[in-house]
Amino acid sequence: MAAKRALVIGIAGQDGSYLAELLLAEGYEVHGVVRSASASLENLAAVRDRVELHETDVLDVDALAALLSSTRPREVYNLAAPSFVPQSWREPVAVAEHSAVGVTVLLETIRRIDASTRVFQASSSEIFGEPRESPQTEETPLAPLTPYGAAKAYGHFLTRCYRRRYGLHATSGILYNHESPRRPVDFVPRKIARAATAIALGLERELELGNLDARRDWGYAPDYVRAMWLALQQPEGDDYVIATGESHSVRELAEIAFSHVGLDYEEHVRVDESLTRGSAELHDLVGDPARARERLGWAPSVDFAALVRLLVDADLERLRAQHEVAGPVVEG
Ligand code: GDP
């Protein structure tokens, strides 16, 4: 039996870094692909000396084949892709390359090099776009509304195709929004947590947001990487919705974040129409994680309010540390 060896494509991102920590704790030898040696490895601070990094172009079949042949992983997790949705309108071709062509390169290379390799494809709730039903399950028809969602839908279908045609142990995890202190501030939960903290510390005065009534099913990233790993421990690959099953509004998020630092969000949040998404805004995105619960024994460990508070606490710590380095903040 092959050693417990895993390859995490996109290891330096939020999910990749949490997954690396989990795999090391489970006794794996962990290899990771990073885009370039100059990429930020901040998220890997806790594990940097225990993972082996490879600078490989995952869109290059030969390079990926050489990496799989030399590392011989038992499990491969494909987490590499730009994930900030509005950006996908500015770079639709790059998004298609990573999230559609990249999956093709990976599945085809695995099939050729070692078809017993287990593979996890990070799919996204964006594939449901305008869903016909709510909550969504693994059987809900796909109806993406953005280049990101369309590219992820391709990757999702291709993972299924390879599972059926070649019998690969290939899993598509339909991940709903998942956050952590490692999430970039482009995403609204970190954007709000950081701003609430900065305002509470007197560093900033107001926060501009888009649609406060937009709703999402938000979970905690370390819970979601645990679901990825659990899925690859099953006898066969499958599709899994990974979600909390609850949706909340951006307004609720702001309310909890600001009140956690003793402020009223209404006094600090301003709506900027240019940040709203118009017809590309997604509604009714909420997942039914019943299959993951029943088959994987998976459940989220952090509820919505606790998630928001932990994001704020982490930003508070971060800003306080920076503020000490930068000298005292002048109030007023
Ligand atoms: P996404 O679901 O992957 O696009 O994650 P985001 O965190 O970027 O956005 C989640 C929701 O928050 C979307 O419905 C946005 O329209 C809404 N939203 C409201 N104000 C903002 C904002 O200022 N920035 C972002 N990124 N999203 C916002």
Side-chain angles (χ1 to χ4, degrees):
M1 163 125 159
K4 276 167 84 169
R5 196 177 305 121
L7 177 67
V8 182
I9 301 174
I11 196 169
Q14 167 187 264
D15 292 0
S17 60
Y18 283 119
L19 181 62
E21 289 170 21
L22 179 150
L23 293 169
L24 287 167
E26 293 291 335
Y28 281 71
E29 176 185 318
V30 178
H31 294 259
V33 175
V34 289
R35 234 174 315 162
S36 77
S38 58
S40 165
L41 301 179
E42 202 183 321
N43 290 334
L44 294 174
V47 297
R48 177 65 196 87
D49 52 354
R50 289 186 288 150
V51 297
E52 191 169 329
L53 299 183
H54 305 268
E55 198 185 324
T56 305
D57 179 358
V58 289
L59 298 180
D60 178 337
V61 182
D62 294 336
L64 189 61
L67 179 63
L68 288 173
S69 300
S70 65
T71 52
R72 289 275 166 188
R74 185 170 81 175
E75 297 166 14
V76 175
Y77 296 85
N78 184 25
L79 312 179
S83 64
F84 186 49
V85 175
Q87 185 72 17
S88 79
W89 293 103
R90 293 193 281 275
E91 296 179 345
V93 176
V95 166
E97 277 170 359
H98 276 96
S99 295
V101 177
V103 184
T104 317
V105 172
L106 177 63
L107 291 168
E108 183 59 14
T109 312
I110 284 179
R111 176 182 83 77
R112 290 190 193 171
I113 301 291
D114 180 355
S116 72
T117 311
R118 299 179 174 199
V119 57
F120 179 89
Q121 166 60 18
S123 188
S124 160
S125 53
E126 282 277 320
I127 64 178
F128 294 126
E130 217 160 30
R132 213 179 285 171
E133 59 187 14
S134 227
Q136 295 83 45
T137 71
E138 294 79 5
E139 310 311 326
T140 301
L142 309 194
L145 285 179
T146 59
Y148 176 78
K152 283 288 183 187
Y154 180 99
H156 176 72
F157 282 131
L158 203 76
T159 306
R160 283 187 179 182
C161 295
Y162 270 65
R163 188 164 66 224
R164 291 195 189 174
R165 171 76 171 80
Y166 298 116
L168 285 195
H169 192 301
T171 287
S172 180
I174 305 167
L175 307 168
Y176 282 63
N177 295 46
H178 48 289
E179 313 295 323
S180 77
R182 297 183 195 172
R183 187 77 138 149
V185 292
D186 299 325
F187 294 85
V188 82
R190 268 271 351 262
K191 180 175 176 180
I192 292 175
R194 196 209 57 80
T197 308
I199 293 169
L201 292 177
L203 298 163
E204 290 172 17
R205 291 187 164 277
E206 64 173 24
L207 166 63
E208 290 176 351
L209 292 174
N211 182 2
L212 297 182
D213 296 315
R215 301 179 75 84
R216 284 289 186 277
D217 178 332
W218 275 293
Y220 183 43
D223 285 338
Y224 288 50
V225 305
R226 190 161 39 82
M228 298 176 189
W229 176 72
L230 286 169
L232 292 206
Q233 309 318 305
Q234 304 309 303
E236 290 178 353
D238 207 340
D239 303 327
Y240 292 96
V241 162
I242 309 298
T244 69
E246 277 179 29
S247 89
H248 295 273
S249 65
V250 172
R251 188 186 305 281
E252 287 171 75
L253 214 168
E255 208 168 354
I256 297 171
F258 278 82
S259 78
H260 191 48
V261 288
L263 298 173
D264 177 354
Y265 84 96
E266 288 185 282
E267 290 173 12
H268 301 279
V269 169
R270 209 169 59 77
V271 171
D272 175 348
E273 291 298 330
S274 74
L275 294 171
T276 58
R277 297 184 183 181
S279 60
E281 182 61 87
L282 306 185
H283 304 282
D284 306 319
L285 270 195
V286 54
D288 175 357
R291 181 182 290 175
R293 192 172 51 233
E294 284 154 23
R295 299 222 199 121
L296 309 179
W298 179 84
S301 71
V302 174
D303 71 15
F304 177 68
L307 170 66
V308 177
R309 288 194 292 261
L310 83 77
L311 294 178
V312 173
D313 288 339
D315 270 317
L316 205 50
E317 205 171 303
R318 203 168 345 207
L319 277 190
R320 278 199 183 122
Q322 282 172 6
H323 152 72
E324 270 176 25
V325 174
V329 174
V330 181
E331 295 268 356

